[in-house]
């Protein structure tokens, strides 16, 4: 794609040239806060009609870009000025790096003629940002801007996706240059992930077939890589061919609909009954999961001796935690397709006893969970809140869950109704504060309805972005799970040290509905579970502004977690999954 011009050269500032290049990638919204270094880029974005969203904190902007990328598969875009703007990005960029999310972040840098002479806001930001991203690119020659923008999008979307920083010195951004018009083209493959796909070696696929064709109790473990590869149909086809159940990680929720008969739900630190099924498996197919601490319940799953076929597009993840029998290095979609093709001429085994056991465990779990799902407790029980979400939200809804408390409860109990990225949570770094900006990014991705879920602690971190959401007339619902505490920490203190042993985990009792109203949102306060259905109905009907539902949930730290955390030292009698 080349700029529509009869001229062989175009005179642009460096900032305008960057805007021209980004425009060629058909970008979504850019989230950022300007500074002097990046003013020419802002002016270029204005002249080109690009949508830039002024945010109130750079971390929130990068979180919003991350959620946009998850919801669309397209690179998220954010920017920050020199110094504090750049350093504010670090937490969010690490989230995207760990989760494999494509981000292109523009960062202002010092005027090269004056670097290291104590310029205002100068710091060693490259040294801080470089380990937080997949690649750090700094423009040293203005003529190379088209090349380096292409490089940023290419790296962000290829292989295992990730964030890329493009650092732009002040003098580069403000200088003008005669650019060759022919240099302004975009690689259209890099407009979404994956920009390229690779397949596992044929002999490795045959090795996997040898493991699986003799298995009587195979289980598939699906991670976030299924979403990144858009491998939903391929996963379902393999599960059918193997006649195998599918468990998912927090990031992998939605790889298969939670209501699909083959889904056995979340596994790892919290599990409905998947952990027990995995423990009795005689073969595992791991797809797009790093098998980190949460998924493996602090490295106790799977048990030793289960043959493992591990498919991942990042070779260094294969065998990182445990011995695997077959390493399939390749894209999830391609790898699943090759595996399915190699197995498809075989009649799917009946596995009658295996599925009977699964059905019995599912029924037992549902029987255990039902009293909490239907709880009339006031303050509201978390399981009752999530049950209302399961009942009232349509299949196309997108739930954005904040790190920690919010994601563990929804990860365990919320049901996606169709395959796809209908559930977004920041599990790469599990930072608190993602819920509100994540809902913003999902809404701007064109998804609807969007339901964000955050704790009061996470909301406190990013509440200023309500101003952004109101200004931009965003339509989403944000549930604030209000327990007047840093709930996850308080629950862990209770479990490890006993009742009353709480330090720096209590928050003020606040009415967040009133705070939201002051920002211009519709605010709804819920103190009783009987109010939930009406609150949801009213919220989902609101147009032209965000809705904040402040839900008062249990203050009892013994009831704040969905199950026993594998890291705690105490297990109270009766502790069961909700």
């Amino acid at each position: 794609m080349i700029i529509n011009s009869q001229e062989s050269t175009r005179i642009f500032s460096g900032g305008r040239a960057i805007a021209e290049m980004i425009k060629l990638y058909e970008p979504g919204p850019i989230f950022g806060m300007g500074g002097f270094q990046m003013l020419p880029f802002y002016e270029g974005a204005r002249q080109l009609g690009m949508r830039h969203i002024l945010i109130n904190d750079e971390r929130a902007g990068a979180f919003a870009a991350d959620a946009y990328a998850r919801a669309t598969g397209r690179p998220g875009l954010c920017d920050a000025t020199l110094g504090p703007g750049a350093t504010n990005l670090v937490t969010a960029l690490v989230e995207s790096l760990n989760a494999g999310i494509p981000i292109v972040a523009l960062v202002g840098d010092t005027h090269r003629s004056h670097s290291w002479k104590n310029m205002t806001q100068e710091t060693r930001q490259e040294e801080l940002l470089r380990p937080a991203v997949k690649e750090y690119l700094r423009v040293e020659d203005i003529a190379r801007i088209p090349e380096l923008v292409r490089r940023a999008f290419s790296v962000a979307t290829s292989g295992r996706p990730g964030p890329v920083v493009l650092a732009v010195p002040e003098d580069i951004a403000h200088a003008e240059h005669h650019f060759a018009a022919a240099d302004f083209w975009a690689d259209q493959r890099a407009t979404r992930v994956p920009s390229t796909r690779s397949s596992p070696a044929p002999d490795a696929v045959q090795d996997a077939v040898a493991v699986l064709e003799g298995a009587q109790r195979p289980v598939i473990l699906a991670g976030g890589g299924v979403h990144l590869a858009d491998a939903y149909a391929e996963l379902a086809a393999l599960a059918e061919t193997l006649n195998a159940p599918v468990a998912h990680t927090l990031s992998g929720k939605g790889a298969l609909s939670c209501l699909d008969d083959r889904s056995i739900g979340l596994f790892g630190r919290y599990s409905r009954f998947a952990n027990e099924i995995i423990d009795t498996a005689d073969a595992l197919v791991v797809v797009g999961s790093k098998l980190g601490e949460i998924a493996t319940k602090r490295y106790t799953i799977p048990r030793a001796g289960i043959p493992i076929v591990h498919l991942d597009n990042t070779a260094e993840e294969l065998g990182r935690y445990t011995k695997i029998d077959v390493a399939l290095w390749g894209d999830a979609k391609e790898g699943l397709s090759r595996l399915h093709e190699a197995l498809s001429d075989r009649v799917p085994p009946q596995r009658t006893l295996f599925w009977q056991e699964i059905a019995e465990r599912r029924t037992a779990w549902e029987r255990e969970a039902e009293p909490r799902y239907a709880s009339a407790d006031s303050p509201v029980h978390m399981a009752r809140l999530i049950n209302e979400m399961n009942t009232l939200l349509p299949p196309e809804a997108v739930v954005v869950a904040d790190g920690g408390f919010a994601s563990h409860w929804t990860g365990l109990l919320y049901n996606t109704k169709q395959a796809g990225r209908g559930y977004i949570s920041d599990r790469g770094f599990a930072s608190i504060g993602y819920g509100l900006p994540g809902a913003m990014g999902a809404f701007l991705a064109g998804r609807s309805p969007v339901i964000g879920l955050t704790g009061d602690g996470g909301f406190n971190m990013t509440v200023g972005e309500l101003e952004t959401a109101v200004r931009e007339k965003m339509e989403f619902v944000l549930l604030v799970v209000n327990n007047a505490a840093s709930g996850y920490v308080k629950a862990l203190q209770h479990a490890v040290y006993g009742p009353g042993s709480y330090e720096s985990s209590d928050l003020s009792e606040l009415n967040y509905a009133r705070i939201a109203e002051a920002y211009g949102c519709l605010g709804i306060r819920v103190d009783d579970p009987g109010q939930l259905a009406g609150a949801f109905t009213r919220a989902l009907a609101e147009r032209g502004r965000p809705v904040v539902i402040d839900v008062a949930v249990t203050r009892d730290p013994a009831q704040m977690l969905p199950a026993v955390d594998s890291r705690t030292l105490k297990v109270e009698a009766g502790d069961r999954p909700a």
Side-chain angles (χ1 to χ4, degrees):
M1 181 182 291
I2 298 175
I3 290 177
N4 183 19
S5 174
Q6 300 301 314
E7 304 172 24
S8 61
T9 62
R10 302 289 300 276
I11 301 175
F12 289 141
S13 69
R16 173 63 184 266
I18 292 170
E20 292 277 357
M21 280 299 303
I22 290 176
K23 179 75 171 179
L24 297 176
Y25 284 86
E26 302 172 2
I30 307 167
F31 303 89
M33 185 186 301
F36 179 73
Q37 293 77 20
M38 296 300 292
L39 287 185
F41 167 74
Y42 274 62
E43 177 62 8
R46 183 190 68 80
Q47 292 176 347
L48 292 171
M50 298 162 67
R51 187 173 188 186
H52 189 281
I53 307 292
L54 171 63
I55 43 78
N56 289 288
D57 185 275
E58 291 84 359
R59 178 180 61 156
F63 276 154
D66 177 280
Y68 173 88
R70 295 184 201 233
T72 63
R74 299 175 63 84
L77 299 171
C78 60
D79 67 78
T81 189
L82 169 71
T87 59
N88 278 349
L89 291 175
V90 171
T91 296
L93 291 176
V94 174
E95 167 61 41
S96 301
L97 179 68
N98 289 357
I101 306 302
I103 300 290
V104 174
L106 304 178
V107 174
D109 208 341
T110 53
H111 192 298
R112 291 175 301 165
S113 295
H114 306 299
S115 297
W116 311 122
K117 294 192 295 187
N118 293 317
M119 292 189 71
T120 302
Q121 299 186 318
E122 183 178 28
T123 186
R124 294 184 179 275
Q125 63 187 43
E126 179 174 349
E127 295 173 34
L128 293 165
L129 289 168
R130 188 175 290 280
V133 296
K134 186 176 178 184
E135 188 160 343
Y136 186 100
L137 304 169
R138 178 176 152 112
V139 183
E140 299 291 353
D141 180 349
I142 190 171
R144 295 185 64 191
I145 283 176
E147 169 206 343
L148 293 176
V149 172
R150 281 192 296 273
R151 174 68 179 168
F153 277 87
S154 174
V155 172
T157 58
S158 61
R160 180 179 176 183
V164 175
V165 162
L166 183 65
V168 187
E170 175 189 315
D171 53 306
I172 293 284
H174 286 261
E176 290 190 340
H177 180 73
H178 288 260
F179 289 91
D183 286 346
F184 286 81
W185 57 273
D187 183 348
Q188 293 300 306
R189 293 173 300 177
T191 59
R192 64 176 305 109
V193 293
S195 59
T196 56
R197 296 184 186 271
S198 59
S199 293
D203 58 342
V205 173
Q206 291 305 313
D207 289 342
V209 169
V211 169
L212 295 173
E213 63 184 356
Q216 300 301 309
R217 301 170 66 89
V219 178
I220 300 173
L221 308 183
V226 175
H227 293 298
L228 294 170
D230 189 26
Y232 310 114
E234 291 74 16
L235 175 67
L238 180 64
E240 182 177 356
T241 295
L242 287 176
N243 194 9
V246 179
H248 61 77
T249 64
L250 279 164
S251 296
K253 179 182 278 289
L256 194 70
S257 165
C258 293
L259 301 182
D260 191 295
D261 289 341
R262 298 192 188 281
S263 173
I264 58 175
L266 183 69
F267 73 95
R269 177 175 293 171
Y270 300 123
S271 159
R272 297 180 179 185
F273 57 92
N275 286 357
E276 289 80 5
I277 298 298
I278 293 168
D279 192 54
T280 65
D282 60 359
L284 297 176
V285 180
V286 181
V287 183
S289 171
K290 296 179 291 186
L291 293 179
E293 179 194 356
I294 302 294
T296 63
K297 198 175 181 181
R298 186 156 274 197
Y299 314 108
T300 61
I301 296 173
R303 63 174 170 78
I306 303 178
I308 298 174
V309 175
H310 193 173
L311 168 62
D312 203 281
N313 69 351
T314 307
E316 53 266 36
E317 296 297 344
L318 299 170
R320 180 195 289 267
Y321 148 59
T322 189
K323 175 182 179 293
I324 60 173
D325 295 79
V326 181
L328 299 179
W329 180 24
D331 171 80
K333 190 181 189 77
E334 289 294 314
L336 288 170
S337 293
R338 300 292 85 76
L339 194 53
H340 178 252
E341 289 170 3
L343 290 163
S344 60
D345 60 346
R346 295 163 173 78
V347 177
Q350 293 298 308
R351 309 198 195 284
T352 303
L353 293 178
F354 189 29
W355 281 106
Q356 180 178 332
E357 178 187 336
I358 291 171
E360 290 170 354
R361 289 187 180 274
R362 190 190 310 276
T363 299
W365 182 83
E366 290 173 348
R367 187 165 50 246
E368 284 184 0
E370 178 56 29
R372 299 191 188 186
Y373 270 133
S375 171
D377 291 352
S378 182
V380 177
H381 196 292
M382 279 294 298
R384 173 64 183 273
L385 169 62
I386 296 172
N387 189 49
E388 296 290 342
M389 295 168 62
N390 284 336
T391 301
L392 296 171
L393 297 186
E396 67 273 15
V398 177
V399 170
V400 181
D402 214 324
F405 182 95
S407 62
H408 287 146
W409 274 101
T410 52
L412 181 64
L413 297 176
Y414 177 68
N415 291 325
T416 57
K417 298 181 175 68
Q418 59 189 21
R421 186 81 89 166
Y423 178 82
I424 295 173
S425 185
D426 59 326
R427 297 312 307 170
F429 208 30
S431 172
I432 306 300
Y434 186 91
L436 171 53
M440 293 163 52
F443 169 76
L444 291 170
R447 306 293 294 272
S448 181
V450 173
I451 311 296
L453 190 134
T454 185
D456 41 0
F459 187 53
N460 289 341
M461 291 182 179
T462 56
V463 64
E465 297 309 330
L466 283 183
E467 185 277 330
T468 306
V470 170
R471 172 173 19 98
E472 296 291 334
K473 297 181 173 57
M474 299 184 196
E475 297 173 4
F476 58 83
V477 179
L478 183 69
L479 300 174
V480 179
V481 179
N482 186 345
N483 54 19
S486 179
Y488 198 65
V489 172
K490 189 170 185 178
L492 293 176
Q493 289 174 340
H494 180 90
V496 175
Y497 300 111
S501 303
Y502 314 124
E503 175 61 36
S504 298
S505 56
D506 288 311
L507 298 171
S508 300
E509 287 279 1
L510 296 176
N511 186 319
Y512 290 100
R514 291 180 180 174
I515 293 172
E517 291 279 1
Y519 275 97
C521 304
L522 172 60
I524 303 173
R525 171 78 174 191
V526 171
D527 298 290
D528 184 272
Q531 301 170 325
L532 285 169
F536 272 107
T537 300
R538 184 182 177 193
L540 291 171
E542 187 71 11
R543 293 293 177 267
R545 60 176 175 168
V547 180
V548 174
I549 304 178
D550 180 21
V551 185
V553 297
T554 182
R555 268 66 175 156
D556 180 1
Q559 301 297 321
M560 285 182 178
L561 296 184
V564 177
D565 189 294
S566 57
R567 299 168 299 174
T568 61
L569 303 180
K570 287 189 177 182
V571 177
E572 301 295 335
D575 272 344
R576 301 291 295 172

